[in-house]
Amino acid sequence: MSDVWYLALAYGAVWLGLVVYLFRLGGQAAALRKEVTSLKATMRETRVEEAGEQPERLVAGVTREAAG
Amino acid sequence: MNIRLNALAASTTADLPGLRFGLPVLAAALLLAALTEALVIAPTEAAMGDIQRIFYFHVAAAWAAFLAFFIVFAASVAYLRTKATRWDVVAVSAAETGVVFVSVALVSGSIWARSTWGTWWTWDPRLTTTFLLWLIYVSYLVMRSMVEEGPRRATFAAVFGIIAFLDVPIAFMSIRWWRTMHPTVLTGSGFSVEPAMLPALFLSLAAFSAFLLHLILLRSALERSRQEVTELRRRIGWMEERRS
């Protein structure tokens, strides 16, 4: 194999490694953002259901949030 | 608990906006300039020919790995002193990014060795100590994944991160301490490359440093998002437990 072939192989490996890692990070970040949004929605629903069972808690929660 | 969650969310989205947007642009511009300089402008080396051009990104990747492992060391010391979770996040992010860069250095070096020495690998002191470095930091990451998240894991990882750094000066100095076939770039009297090749080398070092910092910032944001997810799951579990 010629020098140029090895050079292309080396630069290809360097760029491929770095770009794959960059995209992997991007993909994981997007998946986590989605999961955070979904978990926050679940938490809100749980809170509302909980407040439905015990309305005084919702009132207390709303007052606390307004004060905070 | 609300305060903790809000603090996590805030640190995920709002730290250093200038760096978050400016650094990737700077890194991309520097990488493009370094690539042009290394492949087009730098002169062809008389003895090795074009294959020597691997050297610019190979050295820069090794440099970026050493820098990343120094950040792991410094962040580990900072964690043990302050017990602040952010230092643990910086340490794990730098360790993972350092492993990527040391892998790049090992692979590009191996391709150069095949062309110049006629073999993909030899147990030369520089190659051996660098491979050891790769193994140590991969062990660091594996060890972290095996221990449950919390202060115990962070403390254990910080101690590991400090001890692991001992191999960095050994790998760096190995070409001076032992008989080796590996070329020497930095000697006691300065750089052992032609002055006309220095711009490509310095540009590559700057480009890989900027890219390393960008990757560490990205990886840190990811780690904080993971912590936020863990905290939210714990909170939902606690709410559901309370209801039942």
Side-chain angles (χ1 to χ4, degrees):
Chain A
M1 279 191 281
S2 71
D3 278 2
V4 176
W5 197 93
Y6 281 116
L7 186 65
L9 182 67
Y11 272 79
V14 167
W15 286 105
L16 187 72
L18 295 176
V19 167
V20 164
Y21 182 63
L22 191 63
F23 276 95
R24 200 180 134 249
L25 285 185
Q28 285 178 344
L32 279 171
R33 268 197 303 272
K34 215 169 154 185
E35 193 171 354
V36 166
T37 312
S38 142
L39 284 170
K40 279 183 177 167
T42 310
M43 209 165 74
R44 261 195 306 274
E45 281 165 21
T46 316
R47 237 189 220 169
V48 170
E49 281 170 21
E50 212 173 64
E53 289 162 14
Q54 292 163 297
E56 70 278 4
R57 271 198 189 167
L58 179 64
V59 174
V62 168
T63 316
R64 214 170 34 242
E65 270 172 23
Chain B
M1 197 184 285
N2 250 336
I3 292 166
R4 196 175 156 190
L5 207 57
N6 289 342
L8 266 174
S11 62
T12 308
T13 52
D15 64 336
L16 309 171
L19 265 183
R20 260 193 327 138
F21 297 109
L23 200 55
V25 174
L26 177 72
L30 283 171
L31 282 169
L32 201 65
L35 196 64
T36 313
E37 192 63 56
L39 293 179
V40 183
I41 300 171
T44 307
E45 212 262 349
M48 280 188 269
D50 277 329
I51 195 68
Q52 181 271 345
R53 293 179 196 274
I54 289 179
F55 148 89
Y56 302 112
F57 276 30
H58 168 74
V59 172
W63 154 256
F66 288 166
L67 185 62
F69 297 144
F70 175 72
I71 294 172
V72 177
F73 170 78
S76 300
V77 171
Y79 177 79
L80 290 180
R81 288 185 65 179
T82 62
K83 295 286 174 193
T85 316
R86 68 173 179 274
W87 293 120
D88 182 51
V89 170
V90 171
V92 66
S93 306
E96 192 181 288
T97 315
V99 166
V100 171
F101 278 99
V102 88
S103 306
V104 163
L106 284 170
V107 170
S108 58
S110 176
I111 295 168
W112 177 85
R114 179 70 183 88
S115 168
T116 311
W117 296 338
T119 178
W120 294 103
W121 185 262
T122 174
W123 293 102
D124 175 90
R126 169 56 73 85
L127 273 66
T128 308
T129 48
T130 309
F131 179 61
L132 200 63
L133 200 62
W134 182 84
L135 277 179
I136 289 170
Y137 283 93
V138 167
S139 311
Y140 170 93
L141 295 171
V142 171
M143 181 279 298
R144 281 187 70 101
S145 67
M146 288 164 69
V147 182
E148 200 183 327
E149 193 176 328
R152 197 172 135 259
R153 180 177 82 173
T155 306
F156 189 40
V159 173
F160 196 130
I162 291 168
I163 296 169
F165 187 70
L166 286 175
D167 191 42
V168 172
I170 296 173
F172 183 75
M173 295 301 287
S174 58
I175 46 175
R176 293 186 196 189
W177 290 345
W178 295 291
R179 194 187 294 257
T180 171
M181 297 195 294
H182 194 281
T184 310
V185 178
L186 193 63
T187 61
S189 54
F191 286 98
S192 63
V193 290
E194 282 180 42
M197 294 174 176
L198 287 177
L201 177 62
F202 288 139
L203 258 177
S204 302
L205 292 174
F208 272 57
S209 303
F211 193 40
L212 169 81
L213 292 179
H214 171 56
L215 287 177
I216 291 176
L217 282 181
L218 273 182
R219 180 63 181 78
S220 298
L222 193 75
E223 191 63 24
R224 286 193 296 266
S225 293
R226 262 187 206 146
Q227 289 178 353
E228 194 183 354
V229 165
T230 309
E231 184 64 28
L232 281 167
R233 279 189 187 147
R234 201 169 66 85
R235 200 169 168 189
I236 290 168
W238 174 75
M239 284 168 94
E240 280 169 359
E241 205 173 275
R242 202 177 53 169
R243 282 178 70 197
S244 62

